[in-house]
Amino acid sequence: MSHLFNNYGRWDVEIVSGNGAKLYDQTGKEYIDFTSGIGVCNLGHCNEAVVAAVETQMKKLWHVSNLFQSSLQEEVAEKLVQSSAGAKVFFCNSGAEANEAAIKLARKFTGKYKIITFHQSFHGRTIATMAATGQDKVKTGFGPMPETFVHLPFNDIEALKQEIDDQTAAVMLEVIQGEGGVHPAGSEFLSAVEKLCKENDALLIIDEVQTGIGRTGKPFGYQHYSITPDIITSAKGLGNGIPTGAMISNEKVAAAFTPGSHGSTFGGNPLAMSAAKATLDIAFDEEFLQSVNAKGDYLAIRLAELFLEFPECKGVRHKGMMIGIEFSSEVNPFVTALRENGLLALTAGANVIRFLPPLTISHEEIDEAIQIINKTLLKYKQLV
């Protein structure tokens, strides 16, 4: 009998070790990991540089508190600022915490309270970030949500024009909705959102929890578009598996957080910062990002070829190594079949298979994964 809460739909697999893009379960079975811990281990499992950095730091200091100066925090913050539109960084422990901080900062800076988000978005599971999320399924059973959050159709600028007003503190969005189905925002839509925010003295918050840290082939996903956010949130890949998160903002907005206005006991702790520094040294390198784009394009082309003649497949969407394959039916049975054949994949809603391989995956491992997908698809075609 388990003594754990039953709030996860766990697979009947226990992963006991991993290296790079490969994972191994309690029976010794090998898997190619196309989940990366849900977009976390962007540099693969047990990345040597990250392991070495954390081991070195572990022998020096694990935790003090944010009452003290931190050179490590300063170094990681500088890397984030140099590769983004931001100027200041607040460290926390997760994406939900980063988004919670962004909501608080927007409200405090503007003195306004309405936050506009979009249907099928996902921003976290705290009360505020759950209220910001545009999916009813994550809110069921938790009672009334805070009333200052408004959800609109994604990529519908006319709906935003009707809703945004002088009471709007911020518009918050993902440039590619990850949990919502790997749906990208349109370039014209994002430019229009930024323009409307400026016209209404509202802030533009870009949630980069899943799209950031090289996942889309750039340091942050918004950099594929001609927009400049006021606030950027990051987590998941930032520590390559060591829990850490960050909120990045411009200088003007950051001034609203003064001593005592917000905090985090473990945010920016030395172990997390050592992992983040080692991660960013690799993930923000231009040659590395070029390789992410090349491998992402290669994988997407191979997948499109495989699924081309499968009538239930409605298309392959990707940006870098963030890939969604939409079906006209539920995909969970196919994801289960992939797992049984040695490939770990995710869903994004009922009808989308989501692939988030480590950014360090080799072409040989991609080809190996394609063989597994093809084998699974051939058998699956016979069953449907």
Side-chain angles (χ1 to χ4, degrees), residues 102 105-107 109-116 160 163-172 192-205 228-231 250 252-253:
L105 180 60
R107 288 167 61 118
F109 175 78
T110 63
K112 300 183 287 187
Y113 310 107
K114 184 164 80 173
I115 308 287
I116 298 174
L160 182 59
E163 184 62 45
I164 195 168
D165 55 25
D166 60 5
Q167 296 303 308
T168 303
V171 176
M172 184 176 189
V193 170
E194 181 182 39
K195 183 173 183 288
L196 285 171
C197 284
K198 290 178 179 178
E199 291 173 353
N200 289 275
D201 293 323
L203 301 183
L204 176 58
I205 303 172
T228 304
D230 298 291
I231 301 174
N250 61 39
K252 183 179 179 181
V253 173

Side-chain angles (χ1 to χ4, degrees), residues 264-281:
S264 171
T265 297
F266 298 107
N269 74 80
L271 290 182
M273 292 297 94
S274 65
K277 181 182 176 184
T279 298
L280 297 181
D281 281 344

Side-chain angles (χ1 to χ4, degrees), residues 98-145:
N99 285 335
E100 185 89 17
I103 291 165
K104 287 181 67 174
L105 180 60
R107 288 167 61 118
K108 195 167 191 297
F109 175 78
T110 63
K112 300 183 287 187
Y113 310 107
K114 184 164 80 173
I115 308 287
I116 298 174
T117 66
F118 296 91
H119 296 164
Q120 298 308 309
S121 61
F122 184 84
H123 299 294
R125 295 184 184 274
T126 66
I127 288 293
T129 58
M130 183 167 59
T133 293
Q135 300 187 53
D136 289 340
K137 67 180 181 181
V138 305
K139 308 174 190 181
T140 301
F142 294 103
M145 293 290 109

Side-chain angles (χ1 to χ4, degrees), residues 82 134 144 174 180 251:
Q82 287 177 340
E174 306 151 274
E251 189 96 36

Side-chain angles (χ1 to χ4, degrees), residues 6-11:
N6 191 32
N7 57 311
Y8 298 110
R10 297 181 189 269
W11 299 335

Side-chain angles (χ1 to χ4, degrees), residues 18-21 41-57 239-240 242 274-279 281-282 288 358 360:
N19 185 270
C41 296
N42 285 3
L43 302 185
H45 299 279
C46 299
N47 178 274
E48 290 183 1
V50 179
V51 168
V54 174
E55 283 183 341
T56 298
Q57 185 59 47
N240 205 58
I242 303 299
S274 65
K277 181 182 176 184
T279 298
D281 281 344
I282 299 171
F288 179 79
T360 51

